[in-house]
Amino acid sequence: MTATAQALLEVEHLTMRFGGLIAVGELTFTAYRSEITALIGPNGAGKTTVFNCITGFYKPTEGRIGLVHGSESLWDELDTLTAYGNRKLARADGTLFLLERMPDYLVAQDARVARTFQNIRLFSGMTVLENLLVAQHNPLMLASGYTLLGVLGLGGYARSERAAIDKARHWIERIGLADRADDPAGALPYGAQRRLEIARAMCTDPVLLCLDEPAAGLNPRESAELNALILSIRDESTTSVLLIEHDMSVVMEISDHVVVLDYGVKIADGPPEMVRNDQKVIAAYLGVADEEVAAAEAEVGL
Amino acid sequence: MRALPSRPAGPTYRVEFDRALKDAAIAGLIALGLFLPLIGLRTTQDIRNELTLETRWPLLFTMVGLVIAGSLINSFVITPWRAYRQEKPRTPSTAAAQFRHEFLRYFIPLAIGFVAVYPMLSLWLAGMQGSVKWVDNFGIQILIYVMLGLGLNIVVGLAGLLDLGYVAFYAVGAYSFALLAEHFGLSFFTLLPLAGILATFWGVLLGFPVLRLRGDYLAIVTLAFGEIIRLVLINWVPVTNGYAGISGIPRPTFFGIPFNASDEGFAATFGIPFHPVHRAIFLYYIILALVLLTALVTVRLRRLPIGRAWEALREDEIACRSLGINTTNTKLTAFAIGAMFGGFAGSFFAARQGFISPESFTFHESATIVAIVVLGGMGSQIGVAIAAVAMIGGTEILRELDFLKALFGNEFDPTQYRMLLFGLGMVMIMVWKPRGLIGTRQPSVVLAERKAISGTLVKEGRG
Ligand SMILES: Nc1ncnc2c1ncn2[C@@H]1O[C@H](COP(=O)(O)OP(=O)(O)O)[C@@H](O)[C@H]1O
Ligand SMILES: [Mg+2]
């Protein structure tokens, strides 16, 4: 969070209730452009629920989720837009979105928020290449004249498809699957599936990439490769990253900014070094500190 | 190479003789118990309207004998053979793979060549009179179902939406054609696209509320819609003429020349003697052209983003939405395009029959078409075509099984056993090839090397 950091996503007072359960309560945080923001917390803390609210899969009970493409000054229009009841405000210098008002597919298509899933959701019976082409559906659909021209073989669809395949090839090479491009996604090893899901999300040209526990189930080497991939996404593209992660070491290594959730409530927010030493975070993660356990045990005479 | 663990030279599996005999005896007894009331006894009404019990011992014992023989064959042939197969180290035979590859490469051109010359072949082999049956009952009938199968394949096989009411669009196409021809006197070739457009329109109209549902619910509601359309056709008498149906539907003409015995007819114009087979052959080529068009369009659609989105939808709908795909529209297009092909087939059906009634559009038709798609292997066009030939051609061929009379006596009617044999065939295919006849998926685009995708990885869709 340098002085020049620009806000990309602002989550304000986000609350999500499931019946009596408050999965997320009054959560407020900001994700900045060209940064990796990590969302961490113990199991069941509500991290995936936050992702589902941002990406439109859940409609939040309360709260506002703003996202800006382009000029920072659009944030000044946030209250006006909220009052109007529109989904977005487009100006010459950019667009302001209210994500909680948008259906899931428009969050991806218009607001350009891409995501991966905690339980991998690839198109397992389609090849690696096909997976990456499905991700480029909307631009290709336009190029095929909404299918009408494409069926007749008119309108330069072939050229657009070649460009799409080139982009897919670029990502296939980047995630190290060049020799498996024509294999079905379901036949890949677990780690490769995780990388492919990230590549697929990146093929939608997102401004914000939401990764739900990408390192879960990876071995240390794969995990290190993944870190490199995420860092390269931040540094080499205009995509910012919002990352849910369980593994503290991964988080501390690559994130610029950490938000900690516990029981749906934010308990810390700041740079990794600060969060690492936060007493509440330590307590939430490790239960309570060892000395305290010892002290309590001594007290009850164990 | 590491040495393989040594194995005994001969097959290790040994048939247990007593066990096999015991199994056969038990199977025979069960069959006897089951078939005694089903086959052995038969009630008939005699002249005085009294029910009398008739026994059919020869038939009963033939059936029981067949069951026992089946059990013995299973014990002595099939089980040892499977055991032997299991034992054999599983090395993929390159020769077999090579053969399969070559076969697939030449199969489609060969098949298309065959259907193109099929009427000539039947004229040559069966003569003018005999050909009417082979071209009309077999050729045209099968091709109508291939067309319906290809249309439904888009909805069920590609998009993974189980539609049990596909016959509705077949009916819409047929009635649109019949009514428009009756009231406006338009010709077949003008009305064909119009009927397709109307069916598409109905596809969108029905699809809009229905496609919010998923899986089993979608299946049930589409089934209901199919029935509703049929009931409307029955009850809206002023327009559809109810059960009586619509007759006198104009037949397709050869560039304005009708196929009849008149002086302006096809035969007279070309100076050949009149014969009904001329029309049958003409209709055959129309439906063949429609089938090839459907297949070609589907092949193209699969390579377009819409086709890939359909298949992605079948694989994982939530992932589709996370990639910005409007799943409602995508489902709707699958439904509408499927309906369009159903409408084409329907209007062809009306033109071929010259008469339609709600009888032709029962749930049985929908079930047959779904069975063709499932049997063929979901999503595979070649599979659908083969399944249609097997199912429709098979049931027609069973009408010809007169030789069975020699076996079971003169009053044995083979056609009555059609459904039984048919069901048996279905069960066997589902046991051996649970993924349908063509169980693999071909990728729609390749980077380096085309490889078929095993059916176990391909999902079937949950609506
Ligand atoms: N669709 C849902 N319906 C009911 N409860 C849910 C739903 N989704 C999540 N929850 C509950 O919300 C809480 C937070 O879940 P989740 O966001 O998945 O946690 P995390 O991803 O941090 O492990 C859990 O108690 C979970 O049971
Ligand atoms: Mg989670």
Side-chain angles (χ1 to χ4, degrees), chain A residues 43-44 46-49 118 212-213 244:
Chain A
N43 250 330
K47 308 177 295 290
T48 301
T49 305
Q118 190 169 351
D212 197 343
E213 303 208 13
I244 292 182

Side-chain angles (χ1 to χ4, degrees), chain B residues 123-143:
Chain B
L123 274 182
W124 181 47
L125 289 176
M128 285 275 227
Q129 197 53 47
S131 288
V132 177
K133 182 183 83 186
W134 287 102
V135 175
D136 196 55
N137 288 5
F138 283 85
I140 296 179
Q141 187 76 1
I142 290 174
L143 286 176

Side-chain angles (χ1 to χ4, degrees), chain A residues 172-200:
Chain A
I172 288 170
E173 279 161 12
R174 207 156 152 187
I175 58 174
L177 290 179
D179 52 340
R180 307 213 56 178
D182 296 318
D183 285 342
L188 297 178
Y190 186 80
Q193 294 196 8
R194 283 256 175 235
R195 294 201 301 277
L196 177 57
E197 208 190 12
I198 296 175
R200 188 181 67 179

Side-chain angles (χ1 to χ4, degrees), chain B residues 141 209 226 265 292 306 330 407 421 437:
Chain B
Q141 187 76 1
L292 291 180
I306 188 73
T330 307
L407 199 62
L421 290 174
L437 296 171

Side-chain angles (χ1 to χ4, degrees), chain A residues 57 104-105 108-109 121 123-126 130 133 137-138 140-141 147 151 157 161 165 169 181-184, chain B residues 300-301 304-305 308-309 312 315-316 318-319 321-322 324-326 441 444 446-449 451 453 457 459:
Chain A
F57 281 88
D104 43 23
Y105 74 92
Q109 188 182 335
R121 284 184 175 273
F123 307 123
S124 61
M126 301 174 86
E130 284 179 308
L133 287 182
H137 175 81
N138 288 314
L140 284 177
M141 203 62 185
T147 308
V151 158
Y157 168 71
E161 191 184 43
I165 291 176
R169 185 187 287 129
D182 296 318
D183 285 342
Chain B
R300 288 209 78 126
L301 285 174
L304 286 172
R308 271 187 221 120
E315 297 285 322
D316 194 323
I318 289 180
R321 288 195 263 143
S322 83
I325 296 174
N326 183 339
R441 175 179 176 270
S444 64
V446 290
L447 210 52
E449 184 195 351
K451 301 177 212 168
I453 296 167
L457 292 171
K459 301 219 172 65

Side-chain angles (χ1 to χ4, degrees), chain A residues 48-71:
Chain A
T48 301
T49 305
V50 173
F51 264 31
N52 283 335
C53 290
I54 293 173
T55 51
F57 281 88
Y58 289 164
K59 186 138 187 52
T61 321
E62 275 162 43
R64 182 162 74 178
I65 307 169
L67 180 108
V68 158
H69 293 178
S71 166

